[in-house]
Amino acid sequence: METSSILSLKKPEPNLNVSDVLCELVCPVCLNYLYPPIKQCATGHTYCEDCFQKLTRCPECRAPKTEARSFVLERLYNKLTFPCKFYDEGCQVLAKGVNIKYHEDGCEYSMKRCPLRFNNNCKWQGKKLELDLHCKKDHSTNIYFESSQTFKCKDFCSNVHRKYYILFSVFEEMFRCSMDINEEKGLVRFGVYLMSKIRSLGKFVYQLTIKKGDTELEAMSVKAPCIHLTDDAHRFEKDKYLIFKYNMLKEFCGEAGDLYYSVKIIPTAP
Ligand SMILES: [Zn+2]
Ligand SMILES: [Zn+2]
Ligand SMILES: [Zn+2]
Ligand SMILES: [Zn+2]
């Protein structure tokens, strides 16, 4: 009799406390939740991708970085439901692993600095949902709402180091178009960057057309992908821009020394 009553007892399951599990899913550098790809050092300490890229060695044990990922933590991540990281700013969205990352990337409550702050040292900071309004109000001459625009770079031929930043607010996405004229190095760098990372990456290319003087004739035309600017810095990232010889572009200037060019942003998917 006694034996059978012991057998009918169910062996207890390991006890799971969700907040204990969540503690293990925090990146020790930025203190945000880890998300795939979850990278690790040779010993096994885990970091988020953004922090991992900036590290030279593991800050916890000094072991070298590896290409290995923690698939167990990644699977766990995808089973959990997270609040949007802009909860404190007012966002109430909750979603599972991958979906929350996608949401946060374009969350209207995410905090942004002014993408045109390098033009006039603008100090604006605010929620993404207020960004469009700010740019329309304070940078109305530097923001465009049509996907194709022709520009005049005044006095292109005068020898100074200059940078130009222009915004495109099109296809429900913000793009920053940057031109950096470095006469000293004899180079001009050009790029069109996506302000959001996950949602729109790979979905847009841009076409840069240099005109012959102030005519509609094309001197040259190049297509390149719109790439995300990883640290939102104003410097041009290596391998992510087009490079032209300054002297070559000078040849295409009009008589007054101005360079005319057009930029068109093109969605790649239908
Ligand atoms: Zn991190
Ligand atoms: Zn380590
Ligand atoms: Zn949100
Ligand atoms: Zn601003």
PDB file of all heavy atoms in Angstrom, residues 31-46:
ATOM      1  N   LEU A  31      23.852  46.834 -20.473  1.00  0.00           N
ATOM      2  CA  LEU A  31      22.761  46.498 -19.555  1.00  0.00           C
ATOM      3  C   LEU A  31      21.391  46.399 -20.228  1.00  0.00           C
ATOM      4  O   LEU A  31      20.363  46.362 -19.553  1.00  0.00           O
ATOM      5  CB  LEU A  31      22.705  47.474 -18.364  1.00  0.00           C
ATOM      6  CG  LEU A  31      24.008  47.606 -17.579  1.00  0.00           C
ATOM      7  CD1 LEU A  31      23.846  48.587 -16.421  1.00  0.00           C
ATOM      8  CD2 LEU A  31      24.494  46.257 -17.033  1.00  0.00           C
ATOM      9  N   ASN A  32      21.374  46.331 -21.559  1.00  0.00           N
ATOM     10  CA  ASN A  32      20.124  46.032 -22.271  1.00  0.00           C
ATOM     11  C   ASN A  32      20.019  44.523 -22.433  1.00  0.00           C
ATOM     12  O   ASN A  32      21.000  43.807 -22.250  1.00  0.00           O
ATOM     13  CB  ASN A  32      20.123  46.692 -23.656  1.00  0.00           C
ATOM     14  CG  ASN A  32      20.009  48.197 -23.549  1.00  0.00           C
ATOM     15  OD1 ASN A  32      19.233  48.708 -22.753  1.00  0.00           O
ATOM     16  ND2 ASN A  32      20.808  48.895 -24.330  1.00  0.00           N
ATOM     17  N   TYR A  33      18.834  44.041 -22.817  1.00  0.00           N
ATOM     18  CA  TYR A  33      18.686  42.605 -23.047  1.00  0.00           C
ATOM     19  C   TYR A  33      19.508  42.187 -24.258  1.00  0.00           C
ATOM     20  O   TYR A  33      19.588  42.909 -25.249  1.00  0.00           O
ATOM     21  CB  TYR A  33      17.215  42.227 -23.250  1.00  0.00           C
ATOM     22  CG  TYR A  33      16.418  42.311 -21.969  1.00  0.00           C
ATOM     23  CD1 TYR A  33      15.358  43.198 -21.839  1.00  0.00           C
ATOM     24  CD2 TYR A  33      16.757  41.494 -20.888  1.00  0.00           C
ATOM     25  CE1 TYR A  33      14.651  43.286 -20.649  1.00  0.00           C
ATOM     26  CE2 TYR A  33      16.048  41.575 -19.698  1.00  0.00           C
ATOM     27  CZ  TYR A  33      15.000  42.470 -19.578  1.00  0.00           C
ATOM     28  OH  TYR A  33      14.311  42.561 -18.406  1.00  0.00           O
ATOM     29  N   LEU A  34      20.088  41.012 -24.136  1.00  0.00           N
ATOM     30  CA  LEU A  34      20.820  40.428 -25.258  1.00  0.00           C
ATOM     31  C   LEU A  34      19.814  40.054 -26.334  1.00  0.00           C
ATOM     32  O   LEU A  34      18.686  39.688 -26.018  1.00  0.00           O
ATOM     33  CB  LEU A  34      21.538  39.154 -24.806  1.00  0.00           C
ATOM     34  CG  LEU A  34      22.678  39.321 -23.815  1.00  0.00           C
ATOM     35  CD1 LEU A  34      23.014  37.970 -23.206  1.00  0.00           C
ATOM     36  CD2 LEU A  34      23.886  39.913 -24.509  1.00  0.00           C
ATOM     37  N   TYR A  35      20.220  40.141 -27.574  1.00  0.00           N
ATOM     38  CA  TYR A  35      19.338  39.707 -28.655  1.00  0.00           C
ATOM     39  C   TYR A  35      20.201  39.103 -29.762  1.00  0.00           C
ATOM     40  O   TYR A  35      21.378  39.429 -29.885  1.00  0.00           O
ATOM     41  CB  TYR A  35      18.517  40.889 -29.183  1.00  0.00           C
ATOM     42  CG  TYR A  35      19.365  42.048 -29.642  1.00  0.00           C
ATOM     43  CD1 TYR A  35      19.817  42.123 -30.959  1.00  0.00           C
ATOM     44  CD2 TYR A  35      19.763  43.036 -28.750  1.00  0.00           C
ATOM     45  CE1 TYR A  35      20.629  43.167 -31.365  1.00  0.00           C
ATOM     46  CE2 TYR A  35      20.574  44.080 -29.155  1.00  0.00           C
ATOM     47  CZ  TYR A  35      20.997  44.135 -30.460  1.00  0.00           C
ATOM     48  OH  TYR A  35      21.815  45.155 -30.858  1.00  0.00           O
ATOM     49  N   PRO A  36      19.670  38.219 -30.551  1.00  0.00           N
ATOM     50  CA  PRO A  36      20.457  37.531 -31.571  1.00  0.00           C
ATOM     51  C   PRO A  36      21.013  38.500 -32.624  1.00  0.00           C
ATOM     52  O   PRO A  36      20.314  39.458 -32.960  1.00  0.00           O
ATOM     53  CB  PRO A  36      19.450  36.578 -32.229  1.00  0.00           C
ATOM     54  CG  PRO A  36      18.349  36.443 -31.218  1.00  0.00           C
ATOM     55  CD  PRO A  36      18.284  37.741 -30.505  1.00  0.00           C
ATOM     56  N   PRO A  37      22.210  38.260 -33.139  1.00  0.00           N
ATOM     57  CA  PRO A  37      23.146  37.204 -32.760  1.00  0.00           C
ATOM     58  C   PRO A  37      23.826  37.505 -31.420  1.00  0.00           C
ATOM     59  O   PRO A  37      24.399  38.572 -31.271  1.00  0.00           O
ATOM     60  CB  PRO A  37      24.164  37.227 -33.904  1.00  0.00           C
ATOM     61  CG  PRO A  37      24.128  38.627 -34.434  1.00  0.00           C
ATOM     62  CD  PRO A  37      22.724  39.111 -34.216  1.00  0.00           C
ATOM     63  N   ILE A  38      23.725  36.567 -30.472  1.00  0.00           N
ATOM     64  CA  ILE A  38      24.364  36.736 -29.163  1.00  0.00           C
ATOM     65  C   ILE A  38      25.788  36.178 -29.261  1.00  0.00           C
ATOM     66  O   ILE A  38      25.972  34.985 -29.474  1.00  0.00           O
ATOM     67  CB  ILE A  38      23.549  36.050 -28.043  1.00  0.00           C
ATOM     68  CG1 ILE A  38      22.133  36.664 -27.980  1.00  0.00           C
ATOM     69  CG2 ILE A  38      24.258  36.182 -26.700  1.00  0.00           C
ATOM     70  CD1 ILE A  38      21.193  36.024 -26.970  1.00  0.00           C
ATOM     71  N   LYS A  39      26.755  37.073 -29.146  1.00  0.00           N
ATOM     72  CA  LYS A  39      28.159  36.696 -29.353  1.00  0.00           C
ATOM     73  C   LYS A  39      28.820  36.348 -28.027  1.00  0.00           C
ATOM     74  O   LYS A  39      28.360  36.778 -26.981  1.00  0.00           O
ATOM     75  CB  LYS A  39      28.908  37.863 -30.016  1.00  0.00           C
ATOM     76  CG  LYS A  39      28.419  38.211 -31.418  1.00  0.00           C
ATOM     77  CD  LYS A  39      28.839  37.146 -32.410  1.00  0.00           C
ATOM     78  CE  LYS A  39      28.458  37.475 -33.838  1.00  0.00           C
ATOM     79  NZ  LYS A  39      29.054  38.658 -34.377  1.00  0.00           N
ATOM     80  N   GLN A  40      29.915  35.591 -28.106  1.00  0.00           N
ATOM     81  CA  GLN A  40      30.603  35.243 -26.863  1.00  0.00           C
ATOM     82  C   GLN A  40      32.119  35.223 -26.988  1.00  0.00           C
ATOM     83  O   GLN A  40      32.655  35.094 -28.081  1.00  0.00           O
ATOM     84  CB  GLN A  40      30.074  33.936 -26.283  1.00  0.00           C
ATOM     85  CG  GLN A  40      30.007  32.785 -27.251  1.00  0.00           C
ATOM     86  CD  GLN A  40      29.301  31.574 -26.649  1.00  0.00           C
ATOM     87  OE1 GLN A  40      28.739  31.634 -25.571  1.00  0.00           O
ATOM     88  NE2 GLN A  40      29.340  30.468 -27.355  1.00  0.00           N
ATOM     89  N   CYS A  41      32.771  35.349 -25.831  1.00  0.00           N
ATOM     90  CA  CYS A  41      34.231  35.275 -25.790  1.00  0.00           C
ATOM     91  C   CYS A  41      34.624  33.803 -25.769  1.00  0.00           C
ATOM     92  O   CYS A  41      33.765  32.929 -25.675  1.00  0.00           O
ATOM     93  CB  CYS A  41      34.779  35.990 -24.550  1.00  0.00           C
ATOM     94  SG  CYS A  41      34.618  35.039 -23.033  1.00  0.00           S
ATOM     95  N   ALA A  42      35.948  33.534 -25.812  1.00  0.00           N
ATOM     96  CA  ALA A  42      36.421  32.143 -25.852  1.00  0.00           C
ATOM     97  C   ALA A  42      36.023  31.363 -24.596  1.00  0.00           C
ATOM     98  O   ALA A  42      35.886  30.143 -24.623  1.00  0.00           O
ATOM     99  CB  ALA A  42      37.930  32.120 -26.043  1.00  0.00           C
ATOM    100  N   THR A  43      35.801  32.075 -23.492  1.00  0.00           N
ATOM    101  CA  THR A  43      35.381  31.393 -22.253  1.00  0.00           C
ATOM    102  C   THR A  43      33.872  31.154 -22.226  1.00  0.00           C
ATOM    103  O   THR A  43      33.411  30.204 -21.618  1.00  0.00           O
ATOM    104  CB  THR A  43      35.772  32.255 -21.014  1.00  0.00           C
ATOM    105  OG1 THR A  43      37.116  32.679 -21.170  1.00  0.00           O
ATOM    106  CG2 THR A  43      35.619  31.479 -19.740  1.00  0.00           C
ATOM    107  N   GLY A  44      33.131  32.027 -22.871  1.00  0.00           N
ATOM    108  CA  GLY A  44      31.688  31.845 -22.910  1.00  0.00           C
ATOM    109  C   GLY A  44      30.875  33.006 -22.372  1.00  0.00           C
ATOM    110  O   GLY A  44      29.661  32.900 -22.239  1.00  0.00           O
ATOM    111  N   HIS A  45      31.516  34.138 -22.046  1.00  0.00           N
ATOM    112  CA  HIS A  45      30.755  35.318 -21.611  1.00  0.00           C
ATOM    113  C   HIS A  45      30.031  35.914 -22.814  1.00  0.00           C
ATOM    114  O   HIS A  45      30.603  36.025 -23.897  1.00  0.00           O
ATOM    115  CB  HIS A  45      31.690  36.367 -20.984  1.00  0.00           C
ATOM    116  CG  HIS A  45      32.340  35.888 -19.726  1.00  0.00           C
ATOM    117  ND1 HIS A  45      33.698  35.685 -19.615  1.00  0.00           N
ATOM    118  CD2 HIS A  45      31.794  35.547 -18.530  1.00  0.00           C
ATOM    119  CE1 HIS A  45      33.967  35.243 -18.393  1.00  0.00           C
ATOM    120  NE2 HIS A  45      32.828  35.143 -17.710  1.00  0.00           N
ATOM    121  N   THR A  46      28.795  36.300 -22.583  1.00  0.00           N
ATOM    122  CA  THR A  46      27.958  36.717 -23.723  1.00  0.00           C
ATOM    123  C   THR A  46      27.723  38.229 -23.759  1.00  0.00           C
ATOM    124  O   THR A  46      27.610  38.878 -22.716  1.00  0.00           O
ATOM    125  CB  THR A  46      26.594  35.994 -23.648  1.00  0.00           C
ATOM    126  OG1 THR A  46      26.130  36.032 -22.297  1.00  0.00           O
ATOM    127  CG2 THR A  46      26.720  34.559 -24.094  1.00  0.00           C
TER     128      THR A  46
END
